[in-house]
Amino acid sequence: MSEEQQKPSLEKGATADAAPEADKAVPAQRPETGERLLEVTGMRKYFPINGGFVFQRRVGDVRAVDGIDFHIDKGEALGMVGESGCGKSTTGRLVTRLLEPTDGKVAYAGQDITHASRRQLAPIRSEIQMIFQDPYASLNPRQTVGNIISAPMEINGINPTGGREKRVRELLETVGLNPEHYNRFPHEFSGGQRQRIGVARALSVNPKLIVADEPVSALDVSIQAQVVNLLQQVQKELGIAFLFIAHDLAIVRHFSQRIAVMYLGKIVEIGDRESIYVKPRHPYTHALLSAAPEADPDDKGRERIRLAGDVPSPINPPSGCRFRTRCWKAQDLCADEEPPLIQLGGSSEGHLTACHFPEEPTVTARAEDIILDPALAGAEEAADKTL
Amino acid sequence: MLRFLTRRVLGAAVILVLISLVTYLLFFALPSDPALLSCGKNCTPSNIAQIHKNLGLDKPIIVQWWDYLIGIFGGRHLPLGNCPAPCFGLSFNNQTPVWALLKDRYPTTLSLAIGGSFIFLVVGVGLGLVSAWKQGSVFDRAASSVSLLGQSVQIYFIGPLAIYLLSYKLGWLNRGQDPSWGAHPGSSLTGLVLPCLVMSVIFWSNYSRQTRSLMVEQLSEEHVRTARAKGMGSRYVFLRYALRGAMGPIITIFGIDLGSVFGGAIITEATFGLHGLGNLAVSAVTQQDLPLEMGVMLIGATSIVIFNIIVDACYALIDPRIRLA
Amino acid sequence: MTTVTKPDPAPKDPVSTDPFLSVRDLYVRFATEDGTVKAVDGLSFDLERGETLGIVGESGSGKSVTNLAILGLHNPRNTTIAGEIMLDGQELTGASNRTLERLRGNKMAMIFQDSLTALSPYYTVGRQIAEPFMKHTGASKREGRARAIEMLARVGIPQPQTRVDDFPHQFSGGMRQRAMIALALVCDPELVIADEPTTALDVTVQAQILDLLKDLQQETGTSIILITHDLGVIANTADKVVVMYAGRAVERGTTREILKAPEHPYAWGLLSSIPRLTADVDVPLSPIPGTPPSLLNPPSGCPFHPRCAFVEKVGGDRCSTERPQLPDGRGSACHLTTEQKRDIFIEQIQPRLR
Ligand SMILES: Nc1ncnc2c1ncn2[C@@H]1O[C@H](COP(=O)(O)OP(=O)(O)OP(=O)(O)O)[C@@H](O)[C@H]1O
Ligand SMILES: Nc1ncnc2c1ncn2[C@@H]1O[C@H](COP(=O)(O)OP(=O)(O)O)[C@@H](O)[C@H]1O
Ligand code: SF4
Ligand code: SF4
Ligand SMILES: [Mg+2]
Ligand SMILES: [Mg+2]
């Protein structure tokens, strides 16, 4: 990363404690795109389950991530959505090499880092940073803010011109905190402010890729937007690529240029924002979108799909297509054969779907709602009778 | 549940075998040669060699230990006499099987430990429950002050005091005697009440305080609030929901205290002049009777391990999350 | 101790036009080591039969405290409650414990947020559901169990005959929340308070649960108070909405009014800080600056004034000195004039919402 980018030209406090009007649109200064930054192929992560009568042995696996492919281009934000336990965080930790993949390949800037040793990773480590969900647990309560933020520089042996402290003070300003807070401790800050500290820590080593695992889900509604705006500014002005993990579909849409939808350890659909939100093909994407609550009482034009039950266990995932146990289009083929993640006829370039019997590319309401939940169907029937 | 128990029992067996090995090594690594101890004044080297042979001390220690272990299950024929099935060797002192001595003394200690535990669990947990039920009341405050007092007493101090007051002066309780459950169950029981009571006193305060704080914590748990939101009465919620949640931790604390419980039982024996394992251990040590020391050690360790399994099983019974795991 | 200061009883006409639930000037204070927490500070709202009232606000705004006060579940040792809570003509703030126990789980019931901690790990789901039924209807154990199975079936638990004997940890999150609903509905309560019933759940499961609540309500005609911090959840579930901030109601209206024509600057902030599925992605979100206030030491005057962008428009130091009142019915607690509110909303806020 070049020297001038060390001093980001972000407007001071633009996201911080300023009135809403002060929040100008950030300049859409896009970095060169199209260049692969991260390429993941066939990545798997199985967590062994140990058990057994007398002696512990491996009796099964949690297939947290089970063969996924995706890439992130330079300066691009890839959003990742899916229900709890589908493997989003595991993917994030695999990409940052906090976890060792069971199988598959991770290439960063053309270099295979799947099995790179600590030493081989050293130059890259600073370029991939992570922001965590829980702003309370992810900061060491016994360290000052200054120490927390400069830790990655220390680990990676980076000495910015003017010294680390000066850099930390700049970073504090960048993320909308007061540089005077250098010597304070995390407990003196609110959740939103702690998340800003987390962002500053990630920025301290001029990363090219930030993996943000649910960076706003633990925050108050009114604070979430502050952090989202900050991250977006960082992404656009510093040209940092993001793997943005979240379960809030609207926030992911707002933040990411491309979106991957995960279900039970698999990517079931991936594509640009428009394709996923307006022309989804995978039944699960349809279900997910139709379930997202919208703060609009007139929002009757969307399809209404209610799945039955919960996500199955990743220990014994269904054969064939994993979504088939909750899918209304499932047929015999779905149980026998796993659908490949491919571009379907009629889908736009780069919009891949893993489904044998894809849906129409639209989210407008159908003639009839799809209600698979027996209790819901029953209750609705009863309600219809009483009316 | 069965799986869980089997696993615990097997684990315990391994632990006991290890304990026996370590104690064995420890005793025989000691500088004193047991042969010297048992051969008296006119010791010639050939005498000693003979004794070594008699005691089996000429073999490598590991083999000796193995023989010892096998003997516990199958019995042994030792040069100095026969030693039937649970063979812990023969006492150096009078060549009687150690097991016979243990069998004679163990019931006293075990009865004290069980009786004392029963009393302090009932009294301590009971006091804690009442304190938690009436938080901030006079009773609560009185109980916590008394707790503080109770914490500082010693068995050898209150023991004689209790004998003087409750036995001599008031004549309410028997001054304490060794039980013989087979022959006189009735008098065995009455003879143990006072020692058990005295032994339990040192545990009262701890259990009442722990129970109180566990209950206060449980009462603010969400599932307890749900029970109240269902309209269940306060007493029902207190006993069925809060106490249920506090029981697991209380049992765990009891499991940790098992060592002190047996320790307390041994001190109580001494205070009341009863003949239990403590008494036996003291004579074994003073007379350097190694097989007897070994036997006392092992039976003490086995008791604690077995009680621990019982405690774990109780915990699993109480908590379905463990039972059905 | 709970102290009850009842306001002077206003003369009421005996006709039953009174709302089913009416909360008037409710104050809830906690004595803590750091001082008095003014968790609820003069809150009033009404709820009609068969209606759903949404209570929205950030965490710590006093939503849960309000509803625990309705059920009388606060610990009297450190809680002071004042004001009036009338449920179907019955005063609750001063009611005896016995009276409350008869009402709880029977006439009024609560669904809690985190079903893993809110259900006891020590008893089967069936027993926990049957308990209130047996207590309030005098049913036998067998009838209780049958009722539990019926309720589990009604909320969509597969194989209720066998699952009734499961423990909560053997259920998935969505199933547990259904069991929680079954538990609340087992005595056909007339008032159900759902405290963030879906916050811990995934979107697809959240949609199932919200629909289920809505449909069960249509079937049984219960009144629901739905507490949430998510305006999206409100949009297709609630009839009326109360927006809470720092222990006070700052705006009240129908769901449509709150979402389409909000009047209070805090409601504007909430609405414009959440992205929509159809919004323009190149416009940054408009967050509310600052952080929610501490209830130990709430701001003077209008509690929102440290974060409000329109203090200037009101002029003087009115916002920081004078507490704005919330009018009855539709309205908001803000010193801006009705015209100002309308103009600001149309000119500055509405364009951001699309
Ligand atoms: N260290 C681990 N050992 C065993 N299983 C694990 C481990 N980490 C994660 N898992 C399992 O892997 C699966 C995927 O977990 P992951 O944390 O990636 O989910 P997620 O998509 O991030 O979910 P959430 O939305 O709840 O954060 C889950 O079933 C989880 O229980
Ligand atoms: N038992 C209690 N003791 C002291 N303070 C409490 C207690 N319960 C809640 N509070 C405080 O009251 C305020 C409102 O809490 P609550 O109603 O739970 O918020 P929410 O709107 O998120 O449901 C918070 O500041 C909270 O810390
Ligand atoms: S492959 Fe079959 S089961 Fe899977 S999503 Fe497509 S239609 Fe449904
Ligand atoms: S009263 Fe003043 S500070 Fe409060 S919301 Fe209205 S304008 Fe803002
Ligand atoms: Mg996660
Ligand atoms: Mg709450």
Side-chain angles (χ1 to χ4, degrees), chain C residues 113-254:
Chain C
Q113 165 177 354
D114 184 356
S115 54
L116 186 61
T117 53
L119 290 174
S120 169
Y122 306 112
Y123 299 112
T124 61
V125 170
R127 172 173 174 169
Q128 296 189 54
I129 296 175
E131 249 177 6
F133 185 69
M134 283 151 55
K135 154 135 194 181
H136 296 301
T137 65
S140 70
K141 256 198 162 132
R142 255 207 18 248
E143 290 162 338
R145 190 183 144 88
R147 175 71 176 171
I149 295 175
E150 181 194 335
M151 290 309 295
L152 286 176
R154 222 163 121 200
V155 296
I157 304 282
Q159 288 130 29
Q161 290 87 349
T162 52
R163 300 315 293 258
V164 71
D165 294 322
D166 277 1
F167 288 91
H169 74 271
Q170 295 169 302
F171 275 25
S172 74
M175 281 163 65
R176 263 199 306 270
Q177 200 60 22
R178 285 165 188 258
M180 188 84 223
I181 293 177
L183 177 108
L185 298 183
V186 69
C187 291
D188 291 322
E190 292 169 58
L191 170 67
V192 172
I193 299 173
D195 190 351
E196 313 229 8
T198 57
T199 304
L201 304 174
D202 281 318
V203 267
T204 60
V205 183
Q206 160 169 304
Q208 293 166 10
I209 299 283
L210 289 177
D211 282 4
L212 182 64
L213 266 180
K214 221 164 43 176
D215 289 340
L216 291 174
Q217 179 187 32
Q218 293 213 329
E219 229 179 291
T220 58
T222 55
S223 312
I224 296 182
I225 297 181
L226 181 76
I227 305 174
T228 176
H229 60 257
D230 188 339
L231 288 167
V233 167
I234 289 289
N236 47 21
T237 339
D239 304 308
K240 290 195 307 191
V241 178
V242 170
V243 182
M244 281 188 75
Y245 187 78
R248 304 174 188 185
V250 294
E251 182 161 1
R252 193 161 39 208
T254 62

Side-chain angles (χ1 to χ4, degrees), chain B residues 226 228 230 236 240-241 320, chain C residues 73 118 121 123 128 131 135-136:
Chain B
T226 310
R228 293 209 295 135
K230 293 195 294 194
Y236 187 89
R240 295 301 173 90
Y241 281 85
Chain C
L73 287 178
Y123 299 112
Q128 296 189 54
E131 249 177 6
K135 154 135 194 181
H136 296 301

Side-chain angles (χ1 to χ4, degrees), chain A residues 88-89 133 213-214:
Chain A
K88 307 183 295 290
S89 301
Q133 165 172 6
D213 188 1
E214 312 243 10

Side-chain angles (χ1 to χ4, degrees), chain A residues 81-151:
Chain A
V81 293
E83 288 175 279
S84 185
C86 69
K88 307 183 295 290
S89 301
T90 307
T91 305
R93 284 159 58 204
L94 286 167
V95 166
T96 41
R97 286 293 317 271
L98 291 172
L99 283 177
E100 191 73 17
T102 310
D103 193 11
K105 193 178 138 194
V106 185
Y108 176 79
Q111 186 189 346
D112 186 351
I113 60 164
T114 323
H115 301 292
S117 67
R118 265 192 107 67
R119 191 132 48 80
Q120 288 165 311
L121 268 183
I124 294 169
R125 187 143 264 177
S126 68
E127 297 190 1
I128 308 179
Q129 289 292 312
M130 189 142 184
I131 298 173
F132 298 92
Q133 165 172 6
D134 187 349
Y136 293 88
S138 59
L139 304 179
N140 183 344
R142 274 182 286 277
Q143 286 195 331
T144 62
V145 167
N147 282 335
I148 290 174
I149 298 178
S150 52

Side-chain angles (χ1 to χ4, degrees), chain A residues 18 23 83-84 190 220 222-223 225-226 229 253-254 293-294 296 298 304 306-307 309-310 373 375-376 380, chain C residues 58-59 155-156 172 178 202 204 206 208 211 215 235 256 260 273 276-277 279 283 285 287-291 307:
Chain A
D23 243 316
E83 288 175 279
S84 185
S190 69
D220 257 325
S222 74
I223 309 297
Q226 296 178 6
N229 277 1
R253 172 176 176 275
H254 182 82
E294 271 278 76
D296 184 356
D298 295 331
R304 179 160 169 266
R306 292 297 175 261
L307 300 178
D310 304 279
D373 190 338
L376 261 185
E380 275 179 19
Chain C
E58 304 181 66
S59 72
V155 296
S172 74
R178 285 165 188 258
D202 281 318
T204 60
Q206 160 169 304
Q208 293 166 10
D211 282 4
D215 289 340
R256 172 165 292 275
K260 284 292 187 182
S273 62
R276 302 281 173 91
L277 279 176
V283 180
L285 304 175
I288 304 177
T291 49
R307 303 172 77 187

Side-chain angles (χ1 to χ4, degrees), chain B residues 50 59 167 213 288 296:
Chain B
Q50 181 58 41
K59 297 184 203 161
S167 185
S213 70
Q288 305 213 3
V296 173

